[in-house]
Amino acid sequence: MNKKKRAEIFARLRNENPQPTTELRYGNPFQLLVAVALSAQSTDVGVNKATEKLFKKVKTPQAMLKLGEEGLKQHIKTIGLYNTKASNIIKTCKLLVEKHGGKVPEDRESLEALPGVGRKTANVILNTAFGHPTIAVDTHIFRVSNRTGIAPGKHVNEVERKLNKFVPDEFKQDAHHWLILHGRYTCIARKPRCGSCIIEDLCEYRDKTEN
């Protein structure tokens, strides 16, 4: 995979979807933080169903603390690991109120200090809520990066490092969303839909399919 190929891949993805964004529904950075925390090992569709009523009631960390951990559980009990997620979200809300004036911080160190927030979640918040050119490597991005040859790596940190190195600057802001959507709907895990892929001729995957 060379520089010219990578640039063409992202140019095509941009042409198909000029303004990509997350499929999680949210109204402000705090709600996005909650949605991303809930999305671990869960689908965006499932998270959106759970947060539809929750986010009508809860728009701030203060409101979430008023709802309480048990109240939150009632909204999210359809989501996997909901007990742990509810506990972390309430702890996070306390820190947001105590240390950040009820606002979601815009720096990585502060974000990663929040309970249940790792590097991937921090990257999503920095990118989607605040417009930083970060790339969060989830299972979709890890698969697409390795399968296509865009940024192969044995672990997520290696893939993230290579993506930051190899993705042309003009595409970095939206690369995260393009790669997730491509992995979710075209370059799917079990059998990629190579026959209907707009970057098939640029991809270096050896076992391409016809569908």
Side-chain angles (χ1 to χ4, degrees), residues 149-172:
I150 291 173
K154 293 182 179 179
H155 50 78
V156 292
N157 288 343
E158 184 181 3
V159 170
E160 181 188 338
R161 179 175 55 77
K162 286 188 175 180
L163 285 170
N164 281 315
K165 179 180 178 180
F166 293 142
V167 175
D169 288 345
E170 66 175 300
F171 301 115
K172 271 188 183 167

Side-chain angles (χ1 to χ4, degrees), residues 132-190:
H132 294 222
T134 55
I135 301 174
V137 179
D138 70 347
T139 55
H140 296 301
I141 292 182
F142 185 80
R143 180 176 65 256
V144 172
S145 297
N146 275 287
R147 191 182 268 169
T148 60
I150 291 173
K154 293 182 179 179
H155 50 78
V156 292
N157 288 343
E158 184 181 3
V159 170
E160 181 188 338
R161 179 175 55 77
K162 286 188 175 180
L163 285 170
N164 281 315
K165 179 180 178 180
F166 293 142
V167 175
D169 288 345
E170 66 175 300
F171 301 115
K172 271 188 183 167
Q173 176 62 45
D174 294 316
H176 165 81
H177 296 301
W178 284 320
L179 293 174
I180 282 182
L181 294 170
H182 191 67
R184 189 172 287 166
Y185 297 111
T186 303
C187 196
I188 55 179
R190 290 188 179 180

Side-chain angles (χ1 to χ4, degrees), residues 74-93:
Q74 293 306 307
H75 284 278
I76 66 171
K77 58 187 177 183
T78 57
I79 294 176
L81 306 173
Y82 75 93
N83 284 312
T84 300
K85 290 175 181 178
S87 175
N88 281 335
I89 287 169
I90 293 299
K91 289 175 184 174
T92 286
C93 289

